Each structure stands twice: as C-alpha cells, then as structure tokens.
Amino acid sequence: MTFRGRRGGEWWRRAVLYEVYLRSFADGDGDGVGDLAGLRARLPYLRELGVDAVWITPWYPSPFADGGYDVADYRDIDPVFGTLAAADALVAEAHALGIRVLADIVPNHTSAAHPWFVEALAAGPGSPARGRYLFRDGRGNGSLPPNDWRSAFGGPAWTRATEADGSPGQWYLHLFAPEQPDLDWANREVREEFASILGFWFDRGIDGFRIDVAHALAKARGLPDLGYPADGRSAWGAMIQPWEVESHPHWDVDDVHEIFQGWRAVADAHGDRLLLAEAIVGVPERIARYVGPGRLQAAFGFPFMHSRWDARELRSVIDETLAAFGAAGAPPVWLLSSHDETRHVTRFGRSETAVLGLFGETGEPTDLALGTRRARAAALLVLALPGIACLYQGEELGLGEVEDLPPEARRDPAWRRSGGTVRGRDGCRVPLPWSGAEPPFGFGPPGSTPWLPQPAAWRGLTVEAQDGDPGSLLALYRRALRLRRSHEGFAGESFRWLDAPAGVLHFERGRGLRCAVNLGGRPFELRQGDVLLASAELGPGGLPPDAAAYSTVPS
Ligand code: NOJ
C-alpha cells in the first residue's frame, strides 16, 4: 500500500478528502443508480485528481426514505450498490492506489425497517425493545405529541405508533423523517451495538467514519419542550438551532462528548483511524469541543462553508476556526459544498452568497460565469488553508445546482413533507457527467437513465471535456492538489496573515507558500514571476477580482 499523504501516524491531519455521494457518482450496472462497481472503475480518476481519502455516503441496506440515511442493517451493503465482497474489493483497490476509505455511520437514528424498530413496535410499551428508541406516552389523553420538538424535514418530531392490537399507542421521536426513528443513546445496548459496528468495519479495513448528525445523539433528560412560539415558528424547516437558545435539549447536549470518547477508544484500538463529525452547532468554538485528545479527531467547518463570499466574513471565520481547533489540537476541515447544500458555483453567482439553511434551493437567479470564477478562486483558498480539505464530487468539474428538476423526479423527503413548497437537496445530487455529448454522460452505460435527470448543458463540463484543457477547473484542481502534495512551501501547518487591502485575503502558510484571494473590486498587485498557480490570468494590475493565486515569497 503506498499512501501519498502524511507518513506514519495521523495520516488525516492534512488530508484532502473527497465526498462520494454514492448514488450519483458512477453507475456500473446500468440501473440508473451509482454503485460500488462504478466507483471501483473510477478510482484511477480519483488517484489522478490527487485526493488522499474518499468519504462514501451510506451504502447499507435501506428503504431510501432519506437517500440511505435510514439504515436497515449496519453490517451489510444494499444490493443496489453491490455486496460486502464488492466493498472489500473497493477498499483493497483504493488502498492499492493510495486512497483511504471512510464510511458514513448513522448513529442518531435507524430506519423504521431496522429489525430493532420492528421489534420495538411489536413488543409494546415498557419493553426493552422500546427502550432502544425514544418512545413516550402522548400528552393529554395521549393524542398529543410528548413535547414540542420539530423534525428537520418539517412537521412534529413525533409520530404515533399503532400498538399490536390496532389501537393508537405511544409516540416515537424522529428528528428527521418518521422513517428514521431516533435511538436512545442513554441505552447501554445501543452503545455496545455501535462499538461493535465500528469494529466490524475497521476489521474490514475501513480507515474511518464520517459521523452523521453527531450533535444529535444525546438528548436532555426528561425531553423538555424547546419553547416554540405559538405564532408560527412551526413553519417548515424553522427548527430552533443550538445557537439560538442557551441550552438546547436535542442538539449539542453536553453528554454527547462522553459517547464519542468511547468511540475514540474503539478507533484507537484499531490503529490510525479517523472519526470525523458532522456537528452543526454554530460557532467554531462549539464545534471544536467535539475534537482533541480522547475525543474525535476532526469535525467539519460548517461556519466556513456557510460564509458569504466576503473577505471580512471569511477572514474572521478562518481566524475563529484556527484558534478554536488550534486550542483543541485538531485540524480544521475546510469545505465549500456537500450533498446537503446548494452547490457553491450557484451560490457564488447570486447576490446572497451564503448557504441559506440546510435546504437552500431558492430559485434566485444566478450568474454562473461569476459563480465559476469565484469557485475557481475558492478552490485555491480551501486547498491552501492548514488542516483537512474536503471536496464534494463534481465541484472539481464546476457543476452548479440543478434547479429545474421536474417535480416527479424529486426524492428528498423535504419535498414531499413540505407539500412541494421546499424543493430540497436533489439539485446538488444529480449524477456526475463523465463523458459524451448527452445523458447519461458516461454516468452509466449508454441507454441507461440516471435516477435524476442531468442537464444537457453539462456536455461541456464532463471529465472528458475538461481532461485535456489546461484552462479547465478540473486542471486547476489537479494542479493545486499536486502543489499541495509536493511543493515545499506547503510543508508544515503554520499560518499568518499578510498585509493586504480591504477585500483581499492574503496569507502565508507552511514554508513560504503564499495565497492571495481577491474578493474586492480592484486588481491586487502580485508579481507574475512569483506565481505558482492562479485561478485566472493576471492582468496588468495583478490578480483580478474574484481570483486567487499561489505564490512563493518574493526574492
Ligand atoms: C445529515 C446528512 O448529511 C443528511 O443527508 C441527512 O438527511 C441527515 N443527516 C439525516 O441523517
């Protein structure tokens, strides 16, 4: 095995991760859904791109009520993706190419089709089987939900179960869809089961896990009301967030850290494995509480991803993130997009460039040329910051959000649950364009139909179309990744800001690698001779607006 990243321990400290949204990466068998065969065939592409590890979204057997984040069996692979043997082969092949593999673990909830939940429904109130989940009696005469919590996908976070004799029964908690019942992490059996699941995959060679909604696992004792005002905050997606209240009863409850200390011990017992939290809890300081010695190794930097294309805002988020993670002794994780957010090419072309909530497809017009220029610059920024960078599949091709999907094609539970008023996240999940002039663009064999329709305009953005073009975004990513790997300037993780006019981010990292990002309206003076790589051609005044460049210390 020849891994290209850091040698020895803690391989993840400065890794470049790549999110594979498995259903949309590559379809090997022609059923329209991405799978392990497709991913295995495209590993050489990822090797050439130069990433250190892939994070693969849930591959477990699932009814797909929420794209696989509803797991029915944590120790197997859904037949739509392949088999356990195919997963083993994928891990071996990726390792042979120097690419590590992270799986996605979903510990907050199972699928309603999980044998535990089926058992819990049958077993009845007060049973040990119900004790693995959060079943409660309803309020009043039992017909009202036990508290006022709301689901992230809209509506109450409680659904009433029907007891075995057909009568309306207890309620169960689901912070997401009703098909995703929340587990009770105060239950010892739940903890033991997940320690065993982690071990199961570590023993198969998995290098780590991305942890789904890590901040949701612990709930406040007694499940107290959140205090939603009667006057409306019950609208879709208007969930009260942890940064809005002093102590939140189901997001970021302090007891969560003790759970992950246990996970870290399991990971450490299996060698150098990475546990990476999805913890959407507000400021970097709060996120950094998930990481450090004896805690998880890393957590996504959502405040950075949620920032506007604005120098002052980005600079302060970078400062806060570096300070918080530096104090915790853990690397930050920088990212621009994911399978849950509007693709950044589209965001950056709008007047409102921040991510708008979790399901932010707004329909606001976007200038894709502007968005793409900024995305090119943002790529250089993300890859120059010290720590971990995480790319979302297709960002290296400059794909935008697909905002005109036909209603009948949409699969996000948010769409259905909101009665079609919230379009949801399908627009960032459209299958990748690899080659050719028309759909399926090499995503699957000719004649196959991808599970979400691809825009005809993607013909110019396929891997094949960009491959030989030195001016393409793909070429820029490849070159930036190569520099990050091999240029001596990138050695070390030190960081300091350099003087720059308002609107420009200018910093030095490692051994003299300089990165300038021009978010202002005027060119930024930069000497051509010192430039290693630029996202746009330098003009007479230097680095144009909405562009970035790497340079060495001027001689
Ligand atoms: C976060 C995942 O990224 C998202 O896709 C999913 O819907 C929720 N967690 C619930 O599992």
Side-chain angles (χ1 to χ4, degrees):
M1 225 183 274
T2 48
F3 292 113
R4 276 200 291 221
R6 211 181 136 91
R7 282 179 206 291
E10 306 192 324
W11 60 268
W12 32 267
R13 273 204 178 263
R14 51 172 297 161
V16 176
L17 313 180
Y18 182 98
E19 180 189 351
V20 170
Y21 189 72
L22 189 55
R23 298 195 296 160
S24 303
F25 187 71
D27 171 16
D29 63 6
D31 65 357
V33 181
D35 51 33
L36 294 176
L39 172 54
R40 286 166 67 189
R42 301 290 184 182
L43 285 173
Y45 166 79
L46 295 173
R47 161 81 190 182
E48 194 184 346
L49 180 59
V51 301
D52 300 303
V54 285
W55 143 35
I56 304 171
T57 52
W59 52 16
Y60 315 99
S62 168
F64 293 98
D66 180 23
Y69 284 94
D70 46 322
V71 179
D73 178 356
Y74 289 84
R75 293 184 181 81
D76 205 349
I77 301 288
D78 194 280
V80 81
F81 296 134
T83 59
L84 260 185
D88 291 342
L90 164 77
V91 172
E93 288 161 11
H95 284 176
L97 290 173
I99 299 172
R100 289 182 163 92
V101 178
L102 307 180
D104 200 326
I105 187 94
V106 188
N108 179 63
H109 41 265
T110 67
S111 162
H114 190 285
W116 272 10
F117 193 71
V118 174
E119 192 189 336
L121 284 181
S127 61
R130 287 215 171 167
R132 298 171 182 141
Y133 292 90
L134 289 152
F135 278 87
R136 294 291 182 273
D137 294 331
R139 288 209 259 219
N141 63 359
S143 64
L144 295 171
N147 69 22
D148 70 349
W149 297 359
R150 309 206 63 85
S151 149
F153 294 139
W158 296 92
T159 290
R160 195 166 192 187
T162 303
E163 301 301 353
D165 64 3
S167 63
Q170 287 191 303
W171 296 72
Y172 68 90
L173 180 72
H174 53 86
L175 291 178
F176 292 88
E179 297 88 347
Q180 295 167 294
D182 278 47
L183 288 162
D184 184 355
W185 273 86
N187 181 300
R188 197 150 46 93
E189 214 186 328
V190 169
R191 293 185 184 221
E192 287 168 2
E193 173 66 355
F194 274 85
S196 154
I197 292 164
L198 296 180
F200 173 86
W201 291 105
F202 285 147
D203 289 342
R204 302 192 93 90
I206 290 295
D207 300 285
F209 288 96
R210 176 260 188 191
I211 306 170
D212 189 61
V213 281
H215 56 299
L217 269 52
K219 272 82 180 181
R221 221 160 280 169
L223 312 184
D225 276 339
L226 242 170
Y228 282 95
D231 63 347
R233 234 197 112 145
S234 55
W236 194 93
M239 215 174 182
I240 292 179
Q241 296 296 343
W243 50 91
E244 296 179 81
V245 286
E246 193 129 309
S247 81
H248 198 289
H250 67 69
W251 290 148
D252 201 24
V253 175
D254 281 344
D255 292 346
V256 78
H257 301 298
E258 187 241 313
I259 298 170
F260 291 131
Q261 283 161 15
W263 284 40
R264 178 62 184 266
V266 176
D268 286 350
H270 286 84
D272 199 12
R273 315 293 173 122
L274 170 63
L275 295 172
L276 167 57
E278 181 204 33
I280 306 174
V281 298
V283 292
E285 217 182 306
R286 267 326 271 197
I287 304 177
R289 285 156 49 96
Y290 286 73
V291 298
R295 299 188 172 213
L296 304 175
Q297 293 96 332
F300 289 111
F302 289 110
F304 176 83
M305 172 157 82
H306 295 164
S307 291
R308 286 181 179 76
W309 184 250
D310 175 89
R312 213 181 314 162
E313 194 168 315
L314 281 168
R315 181 171 169 144
S316 86
V317 162
I318 291 169
D319 279 339
E320 284 171 37
T321 305
L322 290 174
F325 281 76
V333 183
W334 310 101
L335 74 169
L336 295 162
S337 277
S338 79
H339 69 282
D340 287 329
E341 313 275 1
T342 305
R343 282 192 177 272
H344 61 270
V345 162
T346 300
R347 282 194 279 123
F348 288 164
R350 289 197 172 126
S351 52
E352 175 50 80
T353 49
V355 174
L356 299 171
L358 187 58
F359 309 104
E361 213 185 296
T362 64
E364 193 199 320
T366 184
D367 174 346
L368 284 181
L370 174 66
T372 302
R373 276 201 303 282
R374 291 176 170 173
R376 292 176 66 90
L380 296 197
L381 170 61
V382 158
L383 292 170
L385 289 168
I388 298 173
C390 184
L391 314 179
Y392 175 48
Q393 69 179 37
E395 74 170 71
E396 77 279 19
L397 303 176
L399 302 185
E401 188 81 3
V402 181
E403 302 199 275
D404 55 358
L405 287 170
E408 64 280 7
R410 293 190 178 271
R411 294 285 175 274
D412 191 325
W415 169 254
R416 193 170 31 89
R417 284 179 64 78
S418 68
T421 56
V422 172
R423 286 191 281 178
R425 302 158 294 176
D426 292 310
C428 63
R429 300 174 174 180
V430 174
L432 291 193
W434 292 91
S435 57
E438 55 191 41
F441 291 124
F443 169 69
S448 61
T449 309
W451 68 280
L452 285 172
Q454 301 159 304
W458 279 10
R459 88 169 55 88
L461 295 175
T462 64
V463 172
E464 185 181 52
Q466 299 196 39
D467 217 6
D469 174 4
S472 68
L473 186 51
L474 179 58
L476 185 76
Y477 268 90
R478 284 177 175 157
R479 290 170 66 192
L481 281 161
R482 199 170 313 130
L483 283 171
R484 181 180 162 107
R485 242 183 356 257
S486 56
H487 193 276
E488 59 157 9
F490 277 92
E493 304 291 281
S494 64
F495 179 94
R496 73 185 175 101
W497 292 109
L498 302 170
D499 286 341
V504 175
L505 298 174
H506 197 197
F507 59 87
E508 190 170 305
R509 75 157 280 179
R511 260 189 236 138
L513 186 280
R514 291 186 164 193
C515 177
V517 190
N518 189 355
L519 298 96
R522 282 196 222 122
F524 172 60
E525 218 177 296
L526 203 63
R527 289 196 333 214
Q528 180 78 57
D530 307 317
V531 169
L532 293 168
L533 180 63
S535 70
E537 239 169 78
L538 265 58
L543 186 67
D546 295 315
Y550 294 161
S551 60
T552 50
V553 179
S555 42

